[in-house]
């Protein structure tokens, strides 16, 4: 049976880089593609940033490839992650040969808890001029992300596991998160290094080679992975996977980039690399490796889009990847 992929281009450069990634997927595997939409434009037209039909189709697809949303990002991305049952957000940040990277030794993977923390969406106005945000941390989610993170490190050959936290201030919530990680590590005999997330930010800049897989609460994973993008050449190189027990949502980290939307110069690398993660999710490891090799070859030899110092178009880079395939 041919596997089903829902394609949601969204806003801005999502409408340019997602079609490029679909071309690449079509070149290596036989998949059944269906398109739906979400984002700012859809909200203007229908009043809903994420139509119920898009949510339903994402929940039923074997995988979803998503581009970006603009001002409505929180109304689109968080429900889509929920639709696919995602509990882990995986964001690799690698330096590639040929790309001008601040830290060429960087090879990091952020494994981010995807369901709670401050992104649980519990905000209140308790009095005039006074608002609160509730941070949610549970034993179940903490253990689950720890199990996933240690599995990912073992399966992908990473010896160093760092656990980001701020338990010196958020003693109860991050204390619970650390307790969950510690329990899983003890059960498995796994080694890891706990690190305060603020000092870890400094250490990642100064010594990224000393870290491999970084297991994070939700907000810390979001911030630290964007920091890591600066070490490897920019957000245009970072893919991500939101994975659950069965479903998955795959998206570039860079967002809608309205400043260059419509100019045809967006870097498709992050979205194509996200598509490679989608292939792995579907059990197509060989095809995923082919795609990564093709992207790495183009990053090394060109052509390159303006964000990487070149002058090539999105289409030209996509054609170069397809030629290598």
């Amino acid at each position: 049976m041919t596997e089903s992929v829902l394609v949601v281009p969204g806003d801005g450069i999502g409408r340019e880089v997602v079609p490029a990634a679909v071309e690449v997927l079509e070149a290596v595997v036989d998949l059944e593609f269906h398109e739906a939409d979400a984002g700012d434009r859809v909200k203007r037209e229908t009043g809903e940033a994420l139509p119920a039909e898009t949510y339903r189709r994402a929940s039923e697809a074997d995988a979803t490839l998503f581009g970006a949303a603009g001002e409505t990002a929180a109304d689109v991305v968080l429900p889509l992650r929920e639709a696919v049952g995602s509990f882990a957000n995986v964001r690799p940040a690698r330096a590639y040969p040929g790309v001008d990277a601040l830290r060429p030794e960087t090879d990091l993977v952020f494994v981010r808890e995807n369901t709670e923390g401050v992104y649980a969406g519990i905000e209140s106005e308790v009095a005039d001029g006074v608002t609160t945000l509730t941070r949610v941390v549970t034993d179940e989610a903490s253990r689950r992300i720890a199990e996933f993170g240690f599995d990912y490190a073992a399966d992908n050959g990473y010896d160093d596991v760092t656990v980001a936290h701020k338990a010196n201030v958020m003693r109860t919530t991050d204390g619970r998160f650390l307790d969950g990680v510690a329990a899983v590590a003890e059960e498995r005999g796994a080694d890891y290094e706990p690190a305060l997330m603020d000092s870890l930010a400094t250490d990642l800049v100064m010594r990224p080679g000393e870290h491999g897989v970084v297991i994070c609460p939700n907000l810390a994973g979001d911030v630290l992975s964007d920091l890591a993008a600066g070490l490897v050449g920019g957000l245009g190189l970072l893919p991500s996977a939101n994975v659950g027990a069965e479903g998955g949502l795959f998206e570039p980290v860079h967002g809608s980039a309205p400043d260059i939307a419509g100019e045809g110069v967006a870097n498709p690398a992050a979205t194509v690399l996200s598509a490679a993660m989608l292939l792995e999710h579907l059990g197509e490891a060989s095809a995923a490796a082919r795609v990564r090799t093709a992207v790495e070859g183009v990053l090394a030899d060109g052509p390159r889009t303006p964000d990487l110092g070149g002058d090539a178009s999105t289409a030209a880079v996509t054609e170069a990847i397809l030629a290598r395939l």
Side-chain angles (χ1 to χ4, degrees), residues 27-99:
V28 292
V29 289
D30 182 23
L31 297 170
E32 184 179 294
F33 293 99
H34 304 275
E35 188 163 329
D37 219 341
D40 297 357
R41 181 178 56 81
V42 177
K43 185 172 183 178
R44 288 193 299 270
E45 294 174 357
T46 69
E48 293 181 295
L50 181 66
E53 178 68 6
T54 301
Y55 183 99
R56 181 188 66 79
R57 293 171 71 182
S59 69
E60 295 175 353
D62 294 307
T64 297
L65 180 64
F66 174 63
E71 296 297 323
T72 57
D75 301 317
V76 174
V77 179
L78 298 183
L80 277 178
R81 290 173 180 168
E82 177 188 71
V84 302
S86 165
F87 65 85
N89 179 242
V90 183
R91 292 186 173 185
R94 290 182 54 205
Y96 295 98
V99 175

